[in-house]
Amino acid sequence: MSVQRCFLRGLDAEVSVLGAGCWTIGGPATNRGLPIGWDHIEEEEAFAGLARARELGVSLFDTADVYGLGRSERLLGRLLRDTRRADLVLSSKVGYFAGTACHPYHPDQIRRQFATTLDNLGTDYLDLYFLHSTDFGDNDQYLAGAVEVMHDLREQGLIRAVGIRAPHTFAEQWAAGNDEHAATITRWLHLFHQIHPDVVTVRYNVLSPRYTAQETDIFTFARRHHVGVLIKQALAQGLLLRDPACPPPVFSPTDHRSRDPQFQPSALATLDRKLAALRTRFGTTPAALARIAVGYALQHAPDAAVLLGFRNADQITTTLTCLDNPLRQDEIDDITALFHHHNERLASRAVHRD
Ligand SMILES: NC(=O)c1ccc[n+]([C@@H]2O[C@H](COP(=O)([O-])OP(=O)(O)OC[C@H]3O[C@@H](n4cnc5c(N)ncnc54)[C@H](OP(=O)(O)O)[C@@H]3O)[C@@H](O)[C@H]2O)c1
């Protein structure tokens, strides 16, 4: 069955409701001495995944200049050589790679990176262009210039929509507090109103906090502002599909997960305990768990598109076809009940920090 399509606000165009997240196929990368990539991946394996995504009806492909330091964009460019440009919705990002410029958001640097991105992809426009980082220098000295460049690119028709990332946990009301969490939300709202993005990316999965009826979550906030939402990490970077019988994964030093506390053995053991009931109820195959992960994300945000990371054709086939058998309401209720207690505690702790 072909992947369904949805209308993406902000871009005001149809996209496949499941998109190909192409960070993972960039492979190893470091930036400013930090791992920002994934484990090594063979070129042909990565490309086979992209080609399979296209065959299964994916039109939305998300990449960035730093994903594999251009490798991810070039792989997509290869796909584009055999695909009609108008059939694809291409998203890329700028903001982490400073090159020899003083800052990644120096206007000249943004324009240079944009030109390289178009060159890598072999296209003359992007559908979505994201300000990837929220670091606009001391006193946000590069913010106004970055916004000007993005809006200029949009006016010239070189990009169709501007995007930014949203905080991992967000309730609009938290800004009214007076602690560190309030400061994060206040800052993000400030950026949101300065940048006027058309689309935001959001980390969202079964491990995300649940918000109370009094809290405005990012999906409701985005709807109110006519902003589209792309969900990332619906699979929690592989954590939700992991077979608990397998030993903890070992990542190369260039895979950013090698430094992520969530992937340490003790955190994995804690997660396994949280997921135990879910796995008993639904099974432990990647297909069964993908159906829960992707289905859960979309039931909460049916007007969003989900970006799915993958490392080969088999992985993307499993995640793209998992909704051929959509989650029933009783299954959604079960998942919510199994996570309700845990997630409510997380949300209330976040509110408490305010
Ligand atoms: N994460 C961010 O901060 C961010 C920011 C902006 C945009 N995005 C976009 O969102 C996309 C999705 O996020 P993500 O890639 O970080 O995380 P994700 O989609 O939650 O997870 C991707 C990982 O899940 C595992 N996986 C996928 N299909 C599988 C299957 N069938 N069976 C077993 N494991 C499977 C693979 O892990 P293994 O590698 O272990 O096999 C894969 O690398 C990115 O690629 C990017 O385009 C992400």
Side-chain angles (χ1 to χ4, degrees), residues 94-156:
V94 65
Y96 278 117
F97 184 64
T100 53
C102 54
H103 194 277
Y105 283 139
H106 188 289
D108 294 344
Q109 178 65 3
I110 299 178
R111 289 191 185 278
R112 264 195 298 269
Q113 289 302 106
F114 181 67
T116 305
T117 286
L118 292 187
D119 196 39
N120 283 338
L121 290 165
T123 184
D124 53 7
Y125 73 95
L126 285 179
D127 299 280
L128 297 160
Y129 200 34
F130 279 85
L131 291 167
H132 205 173
S133 151
T134 52
D135 175 1
F136 291 92
D138 290 345
N139 301 315
D140 280 343
Q141 59 179 306
Y142 294 105
L143 176 58
V147 173
E148 199 180 313
V149 173
M150 297 297 270
H151 289 183
D152 184 45
L153 292 175
R154 193 175 53 190
E155 269 157 38
Q156 289 183 55

Side-chain angles (χ1 to χ4, degrees), residues 268-300:
L268 291 176
T270 306
L271 183 63
D272 282 343
R273 284 195 291 279
K274 278 177 205 152
L275 294 176
L278 201 70
R279 287 166 171 161
T280 303
R281 165 78 171 80
F282 293 95
T284 55
T285 64
L289 295 169
R291 181 170 167 264
I292 291 161
V294 178
Y296 179 88
L298 281 173
Q299 62 82 29
H300 185 70

